[in-house]
Amino acid sequence: PAPAAPEAAPAAPPPAEAARRVIPDIPLPLDGLAIWQGRVALRAAQARIDGMDWRDLDATIAQADSVLDIAPFTVTGPGGTVRGTLRIDRRASPPALALTLRSDGPGLDLAALRRAQGDAVGIEGRAQLAIDITASGATTRALAASVSGQAGLAMVDARVATAGLRRLGPELVGLLLPAAGRNGLAVRCLALQIVAEDGIATTRALLAETAVGRFTGTAAVNLRDERLAARLLPDVQLLGVAVRAPVGVGGTLAAPRVGVDAARAFAMVIGDAPMNRDPGGDCADQLRLARMGAEGPEPPPPLAAPRDPAQDLLRGLFGGARR
Protein backbone atom coordinates (compact mmCIF):
# COMPACT_ATOMS: atom_id res chain seq x y z
CA PRO A 1 0.00 0.00 0.00
CA ALA A 2 1.05 3.58 -0.63
CA PRO A 3 2.53 5.34 2.36
CA ALA A 4 0.10 7.59 4.21
CA ALA A 5 0.35 11.28 3.40
CA PRO A 6 1.84 13.31 6.20
CA GLU A 7 -0.69 15.17 8.29
CA ALA A 8 -0.97 18.87 7.58
CA ALA A 9 0.47 21.13 10.22
CA PRO A 10 -2.26 22.65 12.38
CA ALA A 11 -3.20 26.22 11.53
CA ALA A 12 -1.66 28.84 13.74
CA PRO A 13 -4.14 29.98 16.38
CA PRO A 14 -5.58 33.49 15.98
CA PRO A 15 -3.85 36.15 18.04
CA ALA A 16 -5.23 36.54 21.53
CA GLU A 17 -7.58 39.43 22.14
CA ALA A 18 -5.12 40.92 24.56
CA ALA A 19 -2.51 41.17 21.80
CA ARG A 20 -4.79 43.16 19.49
CA ARG A 21 -4.26 46.89 19.84
CA VAL A 22 -6.05 49.95 18.49
CA ILE A 23 -3.44 52.57 19.41
CA PRO A 24 -0.57 52.38 16.89
CA ASP A 25 3.05 52.19 18.03
CA ILE A 26 4.62 54.93 15.89
CA PRO A 27 8.03 56.38 16.86
CA LEU A 28 8.19 60.16 17.26
CA PRO A 29 10.63 61.93 14.89
CA LEU A 30 12.85 62.98 17.77
CA ASP A 31 16.18 62.58 15.95
CA GLY A 32 15.07 64.95 13.22
CA LEU A 33 14.25 67.63 15.77
CA ALA A 34 17.84 67.72 17.01
CA ILE A 35 19.28 69.14 13.77
CA TRP A 36 17.68 72.58 14.08
CA GLN A 37 17.82 75.42 16.57
CA GLY A 38 16.19 78.81 16.23
CA ARG A 39 12.87 80.57 15.85
CA VAL A 40 10.64 81.00 12.80
CA ALA A 41 7.18 82.37 12.04
CA LEU A 42 5.42 80.05 9.61
CA ARG A 43 2.50 81.13 7.47
CA ALA A 44 0.91 79.24 4.60
CA ALA A 45 -2.21 80.05 2.62
CA GLN A 46 -2.63 76.38 1.70
CA ALA A 47 -0.87 73.11 2.52
CA ARG A 48 -1.55 69.43 1.84
CA ILE A 49 -0.86 67.11 4.78
CA ASP A 50 -1.65 63.39 4.79
CA GLY A 51 -3.79 63.78 1.69
CA MET A 52 -5.97 66.54 3.16
CA ASP A 53 -6.00 70.23 2.30
CA TRP A 54 -5.31 72.73 5.09
CA ARG A 55 -5.31 76.51 4.82
CA ASP A 56 -4.49 79.67 6.74
CA LEU A 57 -1.70 78.02 8.70
CA ASP A 58 -0.12 80.42 11.19
CA ALA A 59 2.45 79.18 13.70
CA THR A 60 5.46 80.32 15.68
CA ILE A 61 8.08 77.56 15.99
CA ALA A 62 11.07 77.82 18.30
CA GLN A 63 13.67 75.32 19.53
CA ALA A 64 16.43 75.88 22.06
CA ASP A 65 18.17 73.61 24.57
CA SER A 66 16.36 70.52 23.21
CA VAL A 67 12.91 72.04 23.79
CA LEU A 68 10.60 72.52 20.82
CA ASP A 69 7.71 74.98 21.18
CA ILE A 70 4.99 75.50 18.60
CA ALA A 71 3.05 78.25 20.31
CA PRO A 72 0.64 79.36 19.25
CA PHE A 73 -0.60 77.70 16.07
CA THR A 74 -3.82 78.06 14.09
CA VAL A 75 -4.91 76.10 11.03
CA THR A 76 -8.14 75.53 9.12
CA GLY A 77 -8.82 72.02 7.85
CA PRO A 78 -11.71 70.30 6.08
CA GLY A 79 -13.78 70.35 9.26
CA GLY A 80 -12.98 73.83 10.56
CA THR A 81 -10.39 75.84 12.47
CA VAL A 82 -8.30 74.63 15.41
CA ARG A 83 -5.75 76.47 17.51
CA GLY A 84 -3.37 75.37 20.22
CA THR A 85 0.14 74.89 21.52
CA LEU A 86 2.64 72.01 21.46
CA ARG A 87 5.82 71.46 23.48
CA ILE A 88 8.27 68.56 23.17
CA ASP A 89 11.03 68.49 25.78
CA ARG A 90 13.84 66.12 24.78
CA ARG A 91 15.81 66.90 27.94
CA ALA A 92 13.49 64.63 29.89
CA SER A 93 13.91 60.86 29.82
CA PRO A 94 11.66 59.74 28.28
CA PRO A 95 10.82 62.87 26.27
CA ALA A 96 7.88 64.90 27.59
CA LEU A 97 5.00 66.29 25.52
CA ALA A 98 2.36 68.91 26.34
CA LEU A 99 -0.54 69.71 24.00
CA THR A 100 -3.47 72.10 24.11
CA LEU A 101 -6.05 72.17 21.32
CA ARG A 102 -9.31 74.05 20.84
CA SER A 103 -11.81 74.25 18.00
CA ASP A 104 -12.79 77.75 16.92
CA GLY A 105 -16.23 79.25 16.39
CA PRO A 106 -19.13 76.80 16.04
CA GLY A 107 -16.79 73.80 16.13
CA LEU A 108 -15.58 71.14 13.74
CA ASP A 109 -17.78 69.72 10.99
CA LEU A 110 -17.20 66.02 11.68
CA ALA A 111 -18.93 64.86 8.50
CA ALA A 112 -16.70 67.08 6.33
CA LEU A 113 -13.62 65.78 8.14
CA ARG A 114 -14.60 62.14 7.57
CA ARG A 115 -15.34 62.77 3.88
CA ALA A 116 -11.93 64.39 3.43
CA GLN A 117 -10.37 61.23 4.88
CA GLY A 118 -12.40 59.09 2.48
CA ASP A 119 -14.38 57.46 5.29
CA ALA A 120 -18.11 56.94 5.76
CA VAL A 121 -19.84 59.64 7.81
CA GLY A 122 -20.64 58.42 11.31
CA ILE A 123 -22.08 61.57 12.84
CA GLU A 124 -23.32 64.80 11.27
CA GLY A 125 -22.99 68.10 13.06
CA ARG A 126 -20.44 70.45 14.57
CA ALA A 127 -18.36 69.46 17.58
CA GLN A 128 -16.62 71.80 19.98
CA LEU A 129 -13.33 70.19 20.92
CA ALA A 130 -11.04 70.94 23.87
CA ILE A 131 -7.83 69.06 24.75
CA ASP A 132 -5.27 69.82 27.47
CA ILE A 133 -2.87 66.91 28.08
CA THR A 134 0.67 65.96 29.02
CA ALA A 135 2.47 62.68 28.34
CA SER A 136 5.93 61.16 28.06
CA GLY A 137 7.48 58.60 25.75
CA ALA A 138 9.17 58.08 22.41
CA THR A 139 6.22 56.41 20.65
CA THR A 140 2.52 57.08 20.30
CA ARG A 141 1.67 54.02 22.39
CA ALA A 142 4.05 55.11 25.18
CA LEU A 143 2.47 58.57 25.15
CA ALA A 144 -1.02 57.08 25.51
CA ALA A 145 0.13 54.88 28.39
CA SER A 146 1.32 57.92 30.36
CA VAL A 147 -1.20 60.60 29.37
CA SER A 148 -2.65 62.93 32.00
CA GLY A 149 -5.06 65.82 31.56
CA GLN A 150 -8.50 66.22 30.08
CA ALA A 151 -10.38 66.31 26.80
CA GLY A 152 -13.94 67.26 25.95
CA LEU A 153 -16.36 67.08 23.04
CA ALA A 154 -19.70 68.91 22.91
CA MET A 155 -22.35 68.79 20.18
CA VAL A 156 -25.88 70.15 19.81
CA ASP A 157 -28.47 69.44 17.11
CA ALA A 158 -26.54 66.59 15.49
CA ARG A 159 -27.42 63.28 13.83
CA VAL A 160 -25.86 59.84 14.08
CA ALA A 161 -25.77 58.50 10.51
CA THR A 162 -26.52 54.91 9.56
CA ALA A 163 -22.79 54.17 9.33
CA GLY A 164 -22.37 55.48 12.87
CA LEU A 165 -25.05 53.12 14.18
CA ARG A 166 -23.34 50.22 12.41
CA ARG A 167 -20.05 51.05 14.14
CA LEU A 168 -21.75 50.65 17.51
CA GLY A 169 -22.56 47.05 16.57
CA PRO A 170 -25.98 45.37 16.40
CA GLU A 171 -25.81 44.09 19.98
CA LEU A 172 -25.20 47.49 21.56
CA VAL A 173 -27.69 49.23 19.27
CA GLY A 174 -30.32 46.61 20.13
CA LEU A 175 -29.83 47.24 23.86
CA LEU A 176 -29.41 51.02 23.85
CA LEU A 177 -31.32 52.13 20.76
CA PRO A 178 -34.11 49.61 20.12
CA ALA A 179 -36.28 52.30 18.53
CA ALA A 180 -33.57 53.90 16.38
CA GLY A 181 -34.60 54.43 12.77
CA ARG A 182 -32.84 53.01 9.74
CA ASN A 183 -32.06 56.52 8.47
CA GLY A 184 -30.03 57.59 11.47
CA LEU A 185 -30.80 59.15 14.82
CA ALA A 186 -31.36 62.80 15.73
CA VAL A 187 -29.28 64.00 18.70
CA ARG A 188 -30.34 67.03 20.73
CA CYS A 189 -27.08 67.18 22.65
CA LEU A 190 -23.96 65.07 23.12
CA ALA A 191 -21.47 65.79 25.92
CA LEU A 192 -18.30 63.89 26.70
CA GLN A 193 -15.48 64.88 29.03
CA ILE A 194 -12.59 62.51 29.73
CA VAL A 195 -10.07 63.00 32.53
CA ALA A 196 -6.83 60.99 32.43
CA GLU A 197 -4.11 60.32 34.97
CA ASP A 198 -1.04 58.22 34.13
CA GLY A 199 -2.79 56.44 31.29
CA ILE A 200 -6.10 55.75 33.08
CA ALA A 201 -8.94 57.70 31.44
CA THR A 202 -12.40 58.06 33.00
CA THR A 203 -15.47 60.05 32.04
CA ARG A 204 -16.60 63.08 34.02
CA ALA A 205 -19.40 63.93 31.58
CA LEU A 206 -21.23 61.37 29.44
CA LEU A 207 -24.66 62.27 28.08
CA ALA A 208 -26.60 61.88 24.84
CA GLU A 209 -30.17 63.13 24.44
CA THR A 210 -31.68 61.66 21.28
CA ALA A 211 -35.01 61.32 19.53
CA VAL A 212 -35.54 57.92 21.16
CA GLY A 213 -34.34 58.68 24.66
CA ARG A 214 -31.60 59.81 27.01
CA PHE A 215 -28.33 58.00 27.71
CA THR A 216 -25.94 58.60 30.58
CA GLY A 217 -23.31 56.47 32.25
CA THR A 218 -19.67 56.12 33.19
CA ALA A 219 -16.73 54.71 31.26
CA ALA A 220 -13.04 54.06 31.84
CA VAL A 221 -10.15 52.97 29.62
CA ASN A 222 -6.72 51.77 30.71
CA LEU A 223 -4.64 53.18 27.85
CA ARG A 224 -1.65 51.07 28.88
CA ASP A 225 -3.30 47.81 27.82
CA GLU A 226 -6.52 49.21 26.24
CA ARG A 227 -8.87 47.47 28.67
CA LEU A 228 -12.34 49.00 28.64
CA ALA A 229 -15.17 49.28 31.18
CA ALA A 230 -18.48 51.12 30.89
CA ARG A 231 -21.86 51.20 32.58
CA LEU A 232 -24.40 52.81 30.26
CA LEU A 233 -27.82 53.88 31.51
CA PRO A 234 -30.44 54.18 28.77
CA ASP A 235 -33.77 55.88 29.45
CA VAL A 236 -35.81 55.15 26.32
CA GLN A 237 -39.41 54.46 25.35
CA LEU A 238 -40.25 51.19 23.61
CA LEU A 239 -43.88 50.26 22.88
CA GLY A 240 -44.91 52.92 25.36
CA VAL A 241 -42.81 51.36 28.14
CA ALA A 242 -39.82 53.07 29.76
CA VAL A 243 -36.64 50.99 29.41
CA ARG A 244 -33.97 51.80 32.01
CA ALA A 245 -31.90 48.62 32.30
CA PRO A 246 -28.15 49.33 32.76
CA VAL A 247 -25.82 47.94 30.08
CA GLY A 248 -22.29 46.84 31.00
CA VAL A 249 -19.43 46.89 28.50
CA GLY A 250 -16.00 45.35 29.08
CA GLY A 251 -13.16 43.77 27.11
CA THR A 252 -10.73 45.91 25.16
CA LEU A 253 -10.91 48.73 22.63
CA ALA A 254 -10.21 46.19 19.87
CA ALA A 255 -12.73 43.64 21.15
CA PRO A 256 -15.41 45.19 23.39
CA ARG A 257 -17.87 42.83 25.09
CA VAL A 258 -21.45 43.85 25.83
CA GLY A 259 -23.39 42.54 28.83
CA VAL A 260 -20.53 42.12 31.29
CA ASP A 261 -20.63 42.82 35.01
CA ALA A 262 -19.85 46.55 35.06
CA ALA A 263 -18.49 46.55 38.63
CA ARG A 264 -16.05 43.75 37.84
CA ALA A 265 -14.98 45.42 34.58
CA PHE A 266 -14.24 48.70 36.38
CA ALA A 267 -12.28 46.85 39.04
CA MET A 268 -10.08 45.35 36.31
CA VAL A 269 -9.50 48.70 34.61
CA ILE A 270 -9.08 51.18 37.46
CA GLY A 271 -8.71 48.99 40.52
CA ASP A 272 -12.04 49.80 42.22
CA ALA A 273 -15.74 49.90 41.44
CA PRO A 274 -17.15 53.20 42.75
CA MET A 275 -17.45 54.40 39.16
CA ASN A 276 -20.81 52.60 38.79
CA ARG A 277 -22.89 55.74 39.04
CA ASP A 278 -24.95 58.07 36.90
CA PRO A 279 -23.07 61.39 36.58
CA GLY A 280 -26.46 63.14 36.21
CA GLY A 281 -27.06 66.66 35.02
CA ASP A 282 -28.97 68.06 32.09
CA CYS A 283 -27.70 69.08 28.66
CA ALA A 284 -26.53 72.51 29.78
CA ASP A 285 -24.56 71.17 32.75
CA GLN A 286 -22.91 68.35 30.84
CA LEU A 287 -22.09 70.54 27.82
CA ARG A 288 -20.42 73.04 30.13
CA LEU A 289 -18.21 70.28 31.53
CA ALA A 290 -17.37 69.02 28.03
CA ARG A 291 -16.42 72.56 26.94
CA MET A 292 -14.29 73.02 30.07
CA GLY A 293 -16.31 76.08 30.99
CA ALA A 294 -16.28 77.73 27.55
CA GLU A 295 -19.42 79.19 25.98
CA GLY A 296 -21.15 77.41 23.12
CA PRO A 297 -24.40 76.83 21.26
CA GLU A 298 -27.51 76.09 23.30
CA PRO A 299 -29.38 72.84 22.67
CA PRO A 300 -32.66 73.04 20.75
CA PRO A 301 -35.99 72.21 22.44
CA PRO A 302 -36.29 68.60 23.63
CA LEU A 303 -36.81 66.07 20.85
CA ALA A 304 -40.13 64.25 20.60
CA ALA A 305 -39.87 60.48 20.40
CA PRO A 306 -41.09 59.13 17.03
CA ARG A 307 -44.35 57.18 16.86
CA ASP A 308 -43.72 53.47 17.10
CA PRO A 309 -45.56 51.50 14.37
CA ALA A 310 -45.73 48.48 16.66
CA GLN A 311 -47.50 50.56 19.30
CA ASP A 312 -50.08 51.71 16.72
CA LEU A 313 -50.62 48.07 15.74
CA LEU A 314 -51.26 47.08 19.36
CA ARG A 315 -53.78 49.88 19.74
CA GLY A 316 -55.59 48.60 16.66
CA LEU A 317 -55.66 45.04 17.94
CA PHE A 318 -56.99 45.99 21.35
CA GLY A 319 -59.82 48.36 20.60
CA GLY A 320 -58.23 51.06 18.50
CA ALA A 321 -58.02 54.74 19.27
CA ARG A 322 -60.68 56.24 21.51
CA ARG A 323 -62.26 59.59 20.88
Side-chain angles (χ1 to χ4, degrees):
E7 293 184 2
E17 285 186 6
R20 296 172 56 196
R21 302 293 294 266
V22 169
I23 301 171
D25 200 19
I26 302 173
L28 301 183
L30 299 174
D31 293 338
L33 297 178
I35 64 176
W36 175 78
Q37 300 281 319
R39 181 183 182 89
V40 62
L42 177 64
R43 292 180 177 84
Q46 189 167 355
R48 191 165 183 82
I49 304 173
D50 288 338
M52 290 193 294
D53 290 323
W54 301 79
R55 57 186 174 83
D56 301 329
L57 171 63
D58 191 345
T60 299
I61 305 173
Q63 182 164 228
D65 298 327
S66 300
V67 178
L68 173 71
D69 279 302
I70 305 177
F73 68 83
T74 304
V75 65
T76 300
T81 301
V82 293
R83 56 186 171 83
T85 64
L86 172 66
R87 165 171 280 209
I88 300 177
D89 187 348
R90 291 182 290 107
R91 297 172 302 181
S93 181
L97 176 145
L99 172 69
T100 66
L101 195 66
R102 298 288 187 277
S103 59
D104 262 0
L108 300 177
D109 185 340
L110 298 184
L113 189 59
R114 296 290 292 184
R115 292 190 191 101
Q117 294 172 324
D119 296 329
V121 173
I123 187 166
E124 301 166 352
R126 288 194 170 272
Q128 289 184 291
L129 179 69
I131 297 174
D132 189 353
I133 59 172
T134 60
S136 59
T139 70
T140 52
R141 192 171 290 173
L143 291 174
S146 62
V147 68
S148 296
Q150 56 184 330
L153 183 145
M155 299 185 73
V156 299
D157 197 16
R159 171 173 288 274
V160 179
T162 305
L165 293 176
R166 284 199 298 265
R167 289 193 193 103
L168 290 175
E171 188 176 8
L172 195 57
V173 170
L175 289 170
L176 295 179
L177 304 166
R182 295 182 178 180
N183 296 322
L185 179 67
V187 178
R188 177 175 180 248
C189 72
L190 173 64
L192 176 65
Q193 186 191 27
I194 299 173
V195 178
E197 184 174 356
D198 295 330
I200 306 295
T202 58
T203 56
R204 183 177 292 172
L206 176 57
L207 169 68
E209 285 196 5
T210 76
V212 299
R214 184 176 191 267
F215 308 89
T216 59
T218 309
V221 181
N222 185 330
L223 295 171
R224 304 167 194 165
D225 56 17
E226 300 187 10
R227 283 182 295 177
L228 167 70
R231 183 174 185 261
L232 306 177
L233 306 173
D235 187 353
V236 301
Q237 293 286 325
L238 181 62
L239 299 179
V241 178
V243 178
R244 298 188 177 93
V247 176
V249 181
T252 66
L253 293 177
R257 296 195 304 273
V258 179
V260 302
D261 180 340
R264 184 176 179 183
F266 274 107
M268 293 179 66
V269 171
I270 61 175
D272 56 33
M275 298 295 296
N276 289 343
R277 58 180 174 79
D278 179 354
D282 59 12
C283 268
D285 293 335
Q286 297 285 282
L287 287 170
R288 191 175 299 110
L289 281 173
R291 294 170 178 145
M292 301 183 193
E295 296 297 324
E298 294 295 323
L303 294 164
R307 289 185 66 87
D308 193 323
Q311 188 174 0
D312 292 338
L313 176 61
L314 291 176
R315 287 197 185 98
L317 289 174
F318 296 99
R322 301 190 179 206
R323 295 178 184 262

